[in-house]
Amino acid sequence: MTHRRFVYLWCFVFLPFLGACAPKVYVIDRQTILEDEAAGEWPDFESEILKKSKAHGPTPFSKVPMSKKRESLYNVLNGSLVTNSEDTR
Amino acid sequence: MRKNAFLMLIALFLAPDFSAKAQENQVQARIRELEKLVPLEKITVGPDDQFNGDILPGGRVLVFTEKSGLISGIRLQDLTTGETTALLPSNADADEAVAGPDGRIAFTYFKFNARGDICYVRPPQPPFHGKTAKDNEVRCLMRAESSVQRSHPFWVSANVLGYVERDFDGRSARIVSENLSSGERTVLAEGRVWSPFMRSGGRYLVYLDWAGEQARAGSGRSRRIVVKDLESGESQIARFALPGFSAFPTVSPDEEYLYFSHFLNDTNEDQTIDGADNGVIFRLPLKKVFKAGELSKGVLPEQLTSVETSCGFPRVAVDRLVITCAFEGSLDVYNAPVNGIVPEKWDEKRILNAIDTSRSYQDRILFLNALQYRFRGGVATGAYFERMLSEHILADDVSAALFYLNQGARDSDIPFYSLLEAYLKARELKNSQPPGELSREFRAAIADLEKRVSKVKQGKGIRKELFLAHLKWSLGDVGAAKALLNRVDWRGAVRPLERYLHFGLARSLYAGKRGADFQALQKAYRVLLTAPELDAQSRLYYAFYFLKDTHSVSPSPEERIKVIGEMWKTNPANEIVVLFQAEIASLRMTSASDENAKTKAFGELSKLFSETRDNYFVRRALYTRVVVNFTEAAEVKYLGVVARNWLRFTVPGDTEFAYAREAFADNSLSQAYLHLDRGEWLLADNYFYESLSFTDDLESHYGFIRARLEQGRRADLLRDYEDLSRRKLVTDNLKFVEAVIDIFDDASGNDDRLDRAIGKLEAIVDGRDSAMRYLALGYAYMEKLFRTARGLDFDSKYLQKAHRSLLLAYDLAWDNPRIRASALMNLGILHQRVQNHGQAVRFFSLRKTYGFISDDEKARFEFLYARSLAYAHQPDLAASELGSIAENSRATPFEERRAFYLATAGEFKEAEAIYSRLLSERRITGDVNLAKANLAYGYVLLKLGREAEARGRLLTALKFSEKLRPLKASKERLVDFEPLRIEIVGYGLLAQTGSPEDRLSALRARLDRLEKSRNLVANWMEARIQIHNQIAEIESVRGESARAAEEMREALRLTSEFGETGQYIGKLVYRTAANFLAHAVLYPDVYKQDDVERVSGFVDNCIAAYEAQKVSDPVLDMQNLKLRILLEGMRAKILKVPAKPGEHLRSSVGTRLKAERPDLFHQVSTLAAALE
């Protein structure tokens, strides 16, 4: 009890200097309230969704579009268009 | 126990200090020893553009510019740890940092003058720990006049800074040096000059000079590099045998070399070679610059980087070249060897080998330039120009090709080159046309080119029809182009260039189409595949495209085998026959119904692999085609064998080996994911292991760990890593391995493991800039945020760290959709948790473009995405997203949430159908959900006009809500749950149903709940006023004037309180006041005891507020007049005094309203007349 009073006193005295004593103020938007009032609550389901959706590894797509780098591995080039290309070889 | 053993093992192998560079392991050593281009080493990391790097003396700190949006600032990076900090407090733009000999940094600063000042400062030393230089430590050069623009600082010596000073009109500029102590200024060069550089204390000043249009017409160059010898005063323009123009000149520390970037081609096809095109770094000994005048075509500098990496801003430190490149999604600073990315140790034979194995024409140009510079005398000969012309035509670099054509390639065979020039000019012009449009000027220019082609003297080997066909094609005249191409006579000697133009046009006209077009394309291929003069590489190239084009129009293996068989009959060269045999064998294999037939067909292929092992071009074409066919048919098992064969038949000393190795590792990873998808964990783990032992990359490590743990083979996993460590195949990346195991083990929410994983991930050196590390780290910080957050309160430190890491993962994984998809998903979830729904929608919508691995994954995504969409005021889209979930994945919560979003979006009919079904099927359970669903359903029914049903649902909702207890905000719950809120809404809706008595009862119940919930309802006061008004209205209609008056008085009292908060104007205040006054006029006896002066005082306050409005508004004027008239009427009725309400109509407000809105004035006049 004494400790709590001390904290209050401390906050009161130093209030002008210390923002830390100020209560945090949150503006709760209308959608949050609306959801709280009228949307169903499925805590286990939502927690499962979050758990499965947070990814610590790559999404294991079985196939991905060939990257530029990978594509170039399978590039086949034309030969020289110079009539006598040995000149520059 | 095993875990502890593993930790000890890790500790044993990781004991050395990794604060600098981790010791190279066996995998890295093998990769380094591969015969391939030296890869550029990325230094800076981040989603923003980071460029113009320079190294501070000592080599530990990099200084560079970072541009985020339109804001640019200078940052420092400790090269030993990767730690970065801002050079200056972020209160003004700064760029063009350049390191001085004593460690100070000069830069252009925009704090004191929008045109830029030249300033310098001593930077903080690493480790930075967020330190920046202080504002008062920054020194700037004095300026006499503020209108000149100053930029491009450089150090002339430790006490003298140089810079460019440009006049206001921008036409003339000076390169000036200025003594920091005395302020003495010297002009070093004048004209249209910029981008100067010199070594501190050096002899040469290099800069760019705008030659002007006249000079451009003469030399073909508008921008050129000038080298000025400050000792002799001699200046020399550097003339290069290169197309395009040069920029960013710089000098090596020993002043032996001039380095610069050069824009060779119009890579962005805007018809101008400029800074927006891909830059290449070149160098040239300075002494050669001064000899350049001896060579009419200019000197050939040494190419150091490829066009593909688009590099600029070279700076040379003693042991490295620091450049800025743009090939991985954003501009970043890279390290490269001072003598370029073609290994210095390569001899002529190795470069010729690299030319053969090149994967792009851009790389081939780099190798050809290296060959010419190092082993062919370093001069540009006619043969060199001709080869460059060929390569740039193949690369479709038209501007560069035109340059080489005019430089010397056309010294012989003039009629043919005139035709080729017409073709190149037409292509150049065509590229400048917007897609699908051809301007009149373009048509006229092509007509002119057609005339020029027609005028070329007809002779042996001149095929004008081929060029005219190309010109017709450029005009979009397909019929004429086809007719002309048909008329080309291919008899006699044909140039390889003509073959290529034939191939290009035939594909443009016929490829990708079936029927007669495909037959015409086959006819063209018949000519090409039997051309006697082509070399083996070209023949195989055309044969390869024949197979590709056949594949694109004939998907069935049988059809393709038939077409190939027909072509075979034309008797093509041997190497083409081998390619056809391999194609047919691979098609038979992929279409075989049983394993025996597959094995037999693969046996044929294996034989061909073995027989062609010494014929490089055949082998490459053959492997590539087989890989394409097997990948398409998902022939996982045999794909691995092909990749292994490719590697097996390539010797390590061959430059092909690096590609074969990469193809093999890439194939291993692809196969690992294919098996993962099929739930074949053992095979997946084998392929991940194969990949990691080849690459040591973190993605493979992650996959391997996951596959092993999924199989419950933890002991084997630890043993394998023990073995990999012992063989030094994995060293520093073991930290990642341990962190990932900790993350997997963290399923129960063990904070120690998560913290330990973060510690290990932060300590990684080798894979520090790996997207995979940042993904895991971002996940871990996000998890910390989730675990420490309570309600809407969260630790912003974790938000920042998670956001940064995930964004870096996304940025670094520019070529990896798997990591990008995960990073985006996490970013969406992270921002949703901190209620930053706009950002969450942005990330989720990007995530959606990558697709999903299963219906369930998509359903989970849609649930989260829809929530953020609804919060971002798009409930209609939210409902539509949830509507896209597959039937089999639609669990009740998805449907319930969809109904809720539909109701929010005003789609009541659809919402009603879902609520009705869910409730009748009893799929919604629990008091909370039943209270909420019935409430929402009741609201929807009310909106649909089904009042009686709505009333039933609302009563049910209220019955359930009475059972509920409040809940405090928590980790899972963002805000406190208060059943009172449901009751307040429920009674509010209920008050719109039933008899007047029912409505009164609901309103009183609502008022009762409101009185108890001052902090729960945002518009608490207004809600109460409104209820009193509503009750008064019902009582009045019922004839209960006294009761109505009671409610009116309470409403007026609350409105007075409300007005005292400064809100005397507003619909609610006006209505309450007007209703009260009107009721008093109608029933004066009920109000005879009321304090008329108090009421007058309130109304006067309202009128005063109306009068104080600075801008007149007719509606407010009308309200003002009505209140005045009603007050006058009330006073007359209660105090029995004479009333003259009509006089208010003649007031200034009345006159204004009459003029502006006669209709509103008429309403007020009628009221006044009634009260007269």
Side-chain angles (χ1 to χ4, degrees):
Chain A
M1 186 64 193
T2 316
H3 175 72
R4 277 180 67 186
R5 285 179 66 184
F6 173 75
V7 170
Y8 284 137
L9 182 67
W10 192 83
C11 281
F12 178 75
V13 173
F14 295 99
L15 197 61
F17 311 104
L18 295 167
C21 292
K24 285 187 178 174
V25 176
Y26 299 101
V27 177
I28 303 174
D29 68 322
R30 188 172 148 57
Q31 188 59 35
T32 309
I33 297 298
L34 195 66
E35 196 170 293
D36 190 53
E37 285 164 354
E41 291 192 19
W42 315 93
D44 294 342
F45 174 83
E46 289 192 32
S47 136
E48 192 64 15
I49 278 194
L50 269 180
K51 195 175 148 193
K52 287 186 174 168
S53 301
K54 288 185 215 160
H56 43 69
T59 307
F61 296 120
S62 57
K63 272 188 178 178
V64 287
M66 206 181 259
S67 68
K68 249 185 162 179
K69 192 179 162 199
R70 199 171 152 214
E71 219 170 45
S72 74
L73 276 177
Y74 304 106
N75 247 359
V76 168
L77 303 191
N78 202 340
S80 165
L81 304 181
V82 176
T83 311
N84 184 4
S85 62
E86 289 308 313
D87 271 6
T88 51
R89 290 293 310 272
Chain B
M1 184 62 193
R2 277 175 182 151
K3 178 78 184 172
N4 287 342
F6 181 62
L7 290 176
M8 283 171 69
L9 170 82
I10 300 271
L12 188 71
F13 284 104
L14 301 186
D17 177 21
F18 286 100
S19 61
K21 191 81 182 168
Q23 197 185 351
E24 185 177 66
N25 65 33
Q26 290 298 317
V27 176
Q28 290 157 344
R30 277 178 207 158
I31 293 172
R32 182 176 47 75
E33 285 160 10
L34 291 172
E35 297 291 356
K36 60 173 190 172
L37 288 174
V38 181
L40 297 177
E41 186 192 345
K42 193 168 184 171
I43 311 176
T44 58
V45 180
D48 299 316
D49 282 340
Q50 301 170 109
F51 55 99
N52 207 354
D54 198 5
I55 303 281
L56 265 61
R60 183 171 172 182
V61 176
L62 171 81
V63 59
F64 61 95
T65 303
E66 182 179 75
K67 192 160 189 182
S68 178
L70 294 173
I71 300 161
S72 61
I74 296 168
R75 293 191 74 80
L76 303 168
Q77 180 167 330
D78 181 348
L79 295 172
T80 60
T81 63
E83 184 198 15
T84 69
T85 191
L87 173 67
L88 305 161
S90 56
N91 54 7
D93 277 12
D95 58 23
E96 298 175 335
V98 55
D102 61 356
R104 284 182 296 179
I105 294 170
F107 54 96
T108 309
Y109 203 21
F110 298 92
K111 182 171 183 174
F112 310 110
N113 189 312
R115 295 185 180 279
D117 278 308
I118 302 300
C119 303
Y120 56 96
V121 71
R122 190 165 293 285
Q125 295 302 304
F128 302 120
H129 302 309
K131 277 181 291 184
T132 66
K134 293 188 179 66
D135 261 341
N136 60 9
E137 293 168 348
V138 176
R139 300 278 174 273
C140 297
L141 302 185
M142 297 287 285
R143 44 162 74 234
E145 48 180 324
S146 61
S147 63
V148 291
Q149 182 185 335
R150 287 179 169 182
S151 62
H152 297 93
F154 60 97
W155 292 91
V156 177
S157 68
N159 201 37
V160 179
L161 267 178
Y163 55 90
V164 172
E165 194 171 78
R166 194 184 308 276
D167 290 339
F168 182 68
D169 62 9
R171 285 186 185 165
S172 60
R174 294 162 293 286
I175 297 171
V176 177
S177 70
E178 186 168 331
N179 189 297
L180 303 185
S181 311
S182 64
E184 184 191 344
R185 283 161 49 98
T186 309
V187 175
L188 302 175
E190 272 187 285
R192 298 184 73 178
V193 293
W194 79 100
S195 199
F197 182 81
M198 69 176 285
R199 283 280 154 195
S200 173
R203 174 176 170 179
Y204 298 103
L205 167 72
V206 293
Y207 59 93
L208 283 176
D209 172 63
W210 173 265
E213 292 305 325
Q214 205 176 357
R216 186 184 187 182
S219 70
R221 290 183 205 287
S222 57
R223 284 157 278 196
R224 58 220 185 156
I225 293 175
V226 179
V227 181
K228 183 170 182 177
D229 183 341
L230 296 178
E231 276 180 18
S232 66
E234 183 193 353
S235 288
Q236 179 65 49
I237 293 166
R239 299 180 65 246
F240 307 121
L242 296 173
F245 75 93
S246 313
F248 314 120
T250 189
V251 180
S252 60
D254 56 8
E255 293 201 303
E256 283 291 314
Y257 282 96
L258 165 73
Y259 283 76
F260 57 97
S261 56
H262 196 90
F263 301 91
L264 289 163
N265 317 311
D266 179 20
T267 48
N268 65 351
E269 294 186 351
D270 63 355
Q271 290 317 289
T272 316
I273 301 178
D274 55 20
D277 295 307
N278 285 8
V280 182
I281 307 294
F282 282 89
R283 74 171 182 179
L284 184 72
L286 270 169
K287 60 183 179 199
K288 276 199 176 183
V289 174
F290 286 94
K291 284 186 184 169
E294 298 164 16
L295 299 164
S296 60
K297 306 276 185 191
V299 287
L300 186 67
E302 185 177 12
Q303 185 176 348
L304 304 183
T305 62
S306 167
V307 174
E308 286 179 316
T309 47
S310 184
C311 300
F313 298 108
R315 279 277 186 274
V316 198
V318 176
D319 58 343
R320 74 189 97 177
L321 175 62
V322 179
I323 48 181
T324 302
C325 305
F327 66 104
E328 293 179 314
S330 58
L331 277 180
D332 273 300
V333 181
Y334 292 79
N335 263 337
V338 283
N339 35 30
I341 61 170
V342 178
E344 201 182 9
K345 63 174 185 179
W346 279 10
D347 57 13
E348 187 176 0
K349 196 177 153 201
R350 183 74 62 229
I351 295 180
L352 286 168
N353 176 216
I355 290 170
D356 285 346
T357 61
S358 294
R359 260 38 183 192
S360 70
Y361 296 112
Q362 287 79 8
D363 279 354
R364 206 156 80 178
I365 289 167
L366 170 68
F367 293 131
L368 282 164
N369 273 330
L371 184 75
Q372 194 72 13
Y373 190 87
R374 296 185 193 175
F375 302 105
R376 303 283 156 92
V379 289
T381 60
Y384 166 79
F385 284 129
E386 204 178 347
R387 183 67 198 257
M388 283 295 125
L389 169 67
S390 153
E391 295 303 317
H392 284 281
I393 288 176
L394 288 168
D396 204 20
D397 299 333
V398 184
S399 310
L402 272 167
F403 169 85
Y404 288 113
L405 180 77
N406 289 314
Q407 284 300 301
R410 70 187 314 173
D411 287 353
S412 59
D413 207 359
I414 289 168
F416 170 72
Y417 283 111
S418 299
L419 295 173
L420 186 64
E421 186 179 25
Y423 159 79
L424 290 171
K425 282 195 169 160
R427 273 201 74 79
E428 191 176 46
L429 291 167
K430 182 76 191 282
N431 287 342
S432 68
Q433 298 297 298
E437 286 176 40
L438 297 177
S439 68
R440 192 187 301 167
E441 291 78 13
F442 172 76
R443 289 177 187 282
I446 297 295
D448 188 45
L449 288 170
E450 282 178 320
K451 277 183 208 158
R452 280 164 62 180
V453 168
S454 303
K455 278 184 194 164
V456 171
K457 197 178 165 192
Q458 190 69 47
K460 199 179 167 191
I462 293 297
R463 296 177 173 86
K464 283 199 244 180
E465 293 84 355
L466 175 64
F467 296 90
L468 288 169
H470 268 284
L471 296 179
K472 289 292 181 201
W473 165 249
S474 70
L475 288 170
D477 190 345
V478 175
K482 284 180 178 176
L484 281 160
L485 189 61
N486 266 332
R487 279 169 40 202
V488 179
D489 181 357
W490 294 110
R491 288 173 303 178
V494 183
R495 297 167 190 84
L497 249 166
E498 289 173 305
R499 295 288 184 200
Y500 182 66
L501 297 184
H502 180 199
F503 164 75
L505 186 59
R507 287 194 87 225
S508 301
L509 291 168
Y510 306 118
K513 298 168 198 159
R514 293 179 69 96
D517 280 324
F518 184 60
Q519 281 173 7
L521 187 64
Q522 279 179 289
K523 188 182 155 198
Y525 275 120
R526 272 198 291 277
V527 175
L528 286 162
L529 301 193
T530 50
E533 77 289 344
L534 291 176
D535 61 18
Q537 188 177 8
S538 297
R539 275 200 294 271
L540 281 160
Y541 173 80
Y542 295 125
F544 182 87
Y545 273 88
F546 160 68
L547 295 175
K548 207 172 164 180
D549 289 340
T550 304
H551 189 169
S552 73
V553 291
S554 315
S556 94
E558 296 74 25
E559 214 179 332
R560 281 161 65 189
I561 289 172
K562 197 177 155 205
V563 174
I564 296 164
E566 289 296 315
M567 190 59 75
W568 197 333
K569 287 180 194 162
T570 60
N571 203 17
N574 282 345
E575 56 268 18
I576 295 178
V577 170
V578 174
L579 186 62
F580 283 1
Q581 284 174 325
E583 183 82 0
I584 291 170
S586 71
L587 290 173
R588 283 200 181 123
M589 216 207 95
T590 55
S591 57
S593 52
D594 61 85
E595 197 55 36
N596 278 344
K598 275 188 198 298
T599 312
K600 193 179 165 211
F602 193 74
E604 285 173 43
L605 264 181
S606 291
K607 196 165 156 255
L608 290 169
F609 289 151
S610 177
E611 283 170 6
T612 57
R613 64 169 72 183
D614 296 325
N615 190 335
Y616 172 69
F617 292 119
V618 177
R619 189 156 48 98
R620 180 165 153 193
L622 188 151
Y623 280 119
T624 306
R625 281 306 307 163
V626 172
V627 165
V628 168
N629 288 332
F630 282 10
T631 304
E632 189 186 80
E635 284 291 354
V636 177
K637 188 172 130 191
Y638 293 101
L639 203 54
V641 183
V642 174
R644 200 176 294 279
N645 265 323
W646 191 343
L647 193 62
R648 191 156 61 100
F649 293 134
T650 311
V651 293
D654 190 331
T655 49
E656 176 65 14
F657 189 76
Y659 299 114
R661 194 177 188 283
E662 207 175 321
F664 180 78
D666 175 67
N667 176 67
S668 301
L669 196 62
S670 301
Q671 294 210 54
Y673 279 112
L674 267 172
H675 288 297
L676 204 69
D677 186 51
R678 295 175 185 176
E680 296 164 352
W681 297 104
L682 179 62
L683 285 168
D685 106 28
N686 283 343
Y687 279 109
F688 277 125
Y689 184 84
E690 195 168 70
S691 173
L692 75 89
S693 58
F694 256 68
T695 59
D696 190 25
D697 84 302
L698 301 188
E699 185 180 354
S700 304
H701 280 295
Y702 179 91
F704 178 58
I705 295 165
R706 186 186 163 197
R708 277 281 156 103
L709 293 179
E710 287 279 354
Q711 297 171 83
R713 295 176 61 200
R714 172 184 288 267
D716 291 343
L717 174 73
L718 302 184
R719 214 171 15 248
D720 280 332
Y721 272 110
E722 193 179 340
D723 180 52
L724 286 165
S725 288
R726 198 176 47 246
R727 289 158 55 203
K728 295 216 180 315
L729 288 170
V730 187
T731 49
D732 187 52
N733 284 343
L734 279 175
K735 290 173 192 156
F736 177 80
V737 170
E738 193 193 12
V740 168
I741 293 173
D742 268 334
I743 287 173
F744 272 108
D745 287 348
D746 179 53
S748 56
N750 181 320
D751 279 344
D752 289 346
R753 288 207 186 106
L754 195 60
D755 289 338
R756 199 166 55 198
I758 289 174
K760 289 285 173 191
L761 289 168
E762 289 281 15
I764 288 173
V765 177
D766 276 353
R768 192 180 70 203
D769 292 336
S770 148
M772 189 58 232
R773 181 186 86 100
Y774 281 114
L775 177 64
L777 194 58
Y779 164 84
Y781 281 127
M782 175 175 72
E783 199 54 32
K784 287 293 284 183
L785 182 141
F786 267 83
R787 287 181 197 182
T788 52
R790 287 286 176 281
L792 297 172
D793 193 12
F794 60 87
D795 190 331
S796 60
K797 173 181 80 217
Y798 291 134
L799 170 64
Q800 281 165 18
K801 288 189 171 187
H803 174 84
R804 182 175 182 274
S805 300
L806 292 170
L807 213 55
L808 286 175
Y810 176 75
D811 179 51
L812 287 165
W814 62 281
D815 219 9
N816 186 331
R818 294 185 177 104
I819 293 182
R820 277 207 146 180
S822 290
L824 287 168
M825 189 69 192
N826 287 349
L827 281 162
I829 292 171
L830 177 74
H831 284 276
Q832 181 171 86
R833 177 62 187 82
V834 299
Q835 298 287 86
N836 193 354
H837 290 285
Q839 281 278 44
V841 163
R842 202 179 126 225
F843 290 124
F844 280 136
S845 60
L846 279 171
R847 165 66 188 88
K848 198 180 167 187
T849 60
Y850 288 86
F852 301 94
I853 53 171
S854 66
D855 286 346
D856 285 350
E857 195 213 5
K858 177 174 166 27
R860 290 192 294 270
F861 164 83
E862 298 293 4
F863 188 82
L864 297 168
Y865 183 29
R867 168 174 281 169
S868 281
L869 279 169
Y871 272 86
H873 310 292
Q874 299 178 76
D876 49 339
L877 290 182
S880 136
E881 288 296 329
L882 287 177
S884 72
I885 293 175
E887 288 278 350
N888 57 349
S889 298
R890 282 188 197 172
T892 302
F894 294 121
E895 300 228 54
E896 184 275 336
R897 202 47 67 94
R898 181 158 176 252
F900 171 69
Y901 295 143
L902 285 166
T904 318
E907 302 285 347
F908 303 118
K909 222 171 162 182
E910 282 185 72
E912 190 278 333
I914 300 174
Y915 277 127
S916 161
R917 182 162 45 81
L918 293 179
L919 286 164
S920 67
E921 291 173 2
R922 298 181 185 282
R923 285 169 60 186
I924 294 181
T925 54
D927 292 343
V928 174
N929 282 348
L930 282 166
K932 290 180 167 191
N934 278 293
L935 180 77
Y937 189 26
Y939 165 75
V940 167
L941 288 167
L942 200 62
K943 287 286 178 185
L944 290 170
R946 291 157 62 177
E947 194 186 309
E949 291 168 82
R951 186 168 176 79
R953 286 294 166 187
L954 292 168
L955 286 169
T956 310
L958 288 164
K959 190 182 82 191
F960 281 112
S961 67
E962 278 168 16
K963 299 184 199 172
L964 306 178
R965 295 284 164 269
L967 291 170
K968 284 278 159 205
S970 64
K971 224 186 269 185
E972 295 81 20
R973 177 179 292 286
L974 289 183
V975 292
D976 296 346
F977 172 66
E978 266 299 341
L980 263 181
R981 267 207 289 258
I982 295 181
E983 292 187 40
I984 291 165
V985 176
Y987 281 117
L989 295 171
L990 201 61
Q992 297 173 43
T993 68
S995 65
E997 288 71 22
D998 291 336
R999 291 175 191 230
L1000 276 176
S1001 157
L1003 284 170
R1004 293 210 165 97
R1006 178 169 153 87
L1007 191 59
D1008 172 62
R1009 276 27 172 214
L1010 269 173
E1011 297 293 354
K1012 295 177 194 165
S1013 55
R1014 173 156 201 156
N1015 297 323
L1016 288 184
V1017 181
N1019 301 320
W1020 183 68
M1021 183 73 97
E1022 294 98 307
R1024 287 156 67 222
I1025 295 169
Q1026 198 174 7
I1027 293 175
H1028 285 294
N1029 280 332
Q1030 286 171 324
I1031 295 175
E1033 191 187 341
I1034 296 172
E1035 295 285 17
S1036 184
V1037 171
R1038 291 167 81 207
E1040 296 286 351
S1041 309
R1043 287 190 188 177
E1046 277 303 308
E1047 299 297 332
M1048 296 260 185
R1049 282 189 199 101
E1050 185 57 14
L1052 196 71
R1053 186 185 69 75
L1054 293 173
T1055 310
S1056 301
E1057 271 182 42
F1058 186 59
E1060 285 304 308
T1061 61
Q1063 302 183 72
Y1064 277 107
I1065 293 182
K1067 208 170 166 184
L1068 187 66
V1069 175
Y1070 166 72
R1071 280 256 173 92
T1072 307
N1075 284 350
F1076 182 91
L1077 295 170
H1079 201 250
V1081 167
L1082 288 170
Y1083 306 100
D1085 290 347
V1086 183
Y1087 290 90
K1088 61 187 175 193
Q1089 300 298 322
D1090 282 40
D1091 183 349
V1092 176
E1093 293 312 318
R1094 202 165 58 84
V1095 176
S1096 299
F1098 168 70
V1099 177
D1100 285 346
N1101 284 339
C1102 293
I1103 291 167
Y1106 285 121
E1107 303 284 326
Q1109 293 298 302
K1110 287 181 180 162
V1111 180
S1112 71
D1113 175 344
V1115 174
L1116 294 183
D1117 284 348
M1118 182 196 71
Q1119 291 179 356
N1120 181 350
L1121 281 176
K1122 272 193 178 175
L1123 288 183
R1124 287 188 196 194
I1125 291 165
L1126 282 168
L1127 180 64
E1128 182 108 11
M1130 187 198 86
R1131 291 177 70 89
K1133 290 278 184 181
I1134 295 174
L1135 302 176
K1136 313 281 187 204
V1137 292
K1140 290 181 182 170
E1143 284 191 5
H1144 294 289
L1145 299 174
R1146 289 183 285 279
S1147 67
S1148 59
V1149 179
T1151 313
R1152 188 167 63 207
L1153 185 64
K1154 191 178 179 182
E1156 288 179 9
R1157 288 288 300 271
D1159 55 326
L1160 296 181
F1161 183 78
H1162 177 70
Q1163 278 184 31
V1164 183
S1165 306
T1166 310
L1167 178 68
L1171 292 174
E1172 279 285 355

